[in-house]
Amino acid sequence: MDLEIFDGLPLDISRLDGLRFAAEEEGIENVSRLIQDWILGQTLFDGTGECLCLAEVGGLIIGVGGLLNCKVVPDALRVSRFYVHPDWRRKGIAREIADEALSHVWNFAKVVTCNAQASSIASLFWESLGFREVNMPGITHMLDVSKIS
Ligand SMILES: CC(C)(COP(=O)(O)OP(=O)(O)OC[C@H]1O[C@@H](n2cnc3c(N)ncnc32)[C@H](O)[C@@H]1OP(=O)(O)O)[C@@H](O)C(=O)NCCC(=O)NCCS
């Protein structure tokens, strides 16, 4: 597998059609919201510490994920818009995207939050990366950045 994880900014939304179609087919809004908010100029992943990463194999975009500022916890970043095409799951793609997205996070935040309600698998995925379950409005998990190895 010739996997490349790269900075997805500025976003070329025409490359996300396959991913958006697959996500919509399984009733997940991550990718269509990413595209819509980008078109509207509402979420450009350009705040302090924010980023957007894409995963590509053989010229095809097969995964996406990024960091945005957390609106709930002050000075925290939040993992956002993580999605991997169903044909490419359980191959470590999302872990690679998260590793890249989180690689500089210690410069900007002490904790990273997430809302793992997008799918039943999301909690298992984030917990595999060291996120711990929390009980806060709009947040299901948190990662202590000092624990990133
Ligand atoms: C969640 C998602 C991004 C994971 O992508 P992925 O590339 O398949 O994940 P990885 O292969 O990197 O998995 C890393 C670890 O997460 C856990 N995990 C991932 N998928 C899992 C599953 N279906 N069942 C149990 N554990 C799972 C495992 O611990 C896995 O490690 P392992 O394969 O060595 O056991 C993908 O399933 C997806 O896009 N789901 C729909 C959208 C979504 O839920 N996004 C998250 C929003 S918060």
Side-chain angles (χ1 to χ4, degrees):
M1 172 171 66
D2 190 13
L3 174 68
E4 197 188 341
I5 310 287
F6 63 97
D7 179 1
L9 298 177
L11 187 60
D12 177 358
I13 55 170
S14 69
R15 298 201 67 200
L16 294 184
D17 277 350
L19 218 50
R20 178 178 57 82
F21 183 70
E24 283 174 355
E25 271 215 313
E26 58 177 332
I28 292 175
E29 295 177 347
N30 284 7
V31 186
S32 48
R33 284 175 62 191
L34 167 68
I35 294 170
Q36 191 178 15
D37 289 350
W38 178 267
I39 292 170
L40 293 173
Q42 283 175 353
T43 308
L44 301 175
F45 296 84
D46 58 354
T48 304
E50 294 183 343
C51 64
L52 184 71
C53 300
L54 296 177
E56 178 180 324
V57 172
L60 275 183
I61 302 298
I62 57 158
V64 63
L67 292 177
L68 290 171
N69 283 301
C70 179
K71 293 183 179 135
V72 180
V73 179
D75 301 322
L77 288 160
R78 176 173 62 93
V79 289
S80 182
R81 306 291 186 253
F82 269 74
Y83 184 79
V84 169
H85 191 286
D87 292 350
W88 290 91
R89 289 189 187 153
R90 283 321 275 280
K91 298 179 193 303
I93 309 280
R95 190 198 308 265
E96 295 256 5
I97 298 171
D99 282 352
E100 180 62 28
L102 294 170
S103 60
H104 299 295
V105 73
W106 51 270
N107 280 317
F108 306 104
K110 289 194 168 62
V111 293
V112 180
T113 64
C114 93
N115 183 346
Q117 284 165 345
S119 73
S120 54
I121 294 156
S123 291
L124 296 170
F125 170 66
W126 293 115
E127 285 164 16
S128 81
L129 297 189
F131 281 72
R132 299 275 174 259
E133 204 169 352
V134 294
N135 189 7
M136 292 177 76
I139 295 179
T140 61
H141 292 75
M142 240 184 229
L143 176 71
D144 178 346
V145 169
S146 68
K147 301 266 163 53
I148 298 177
S149 50

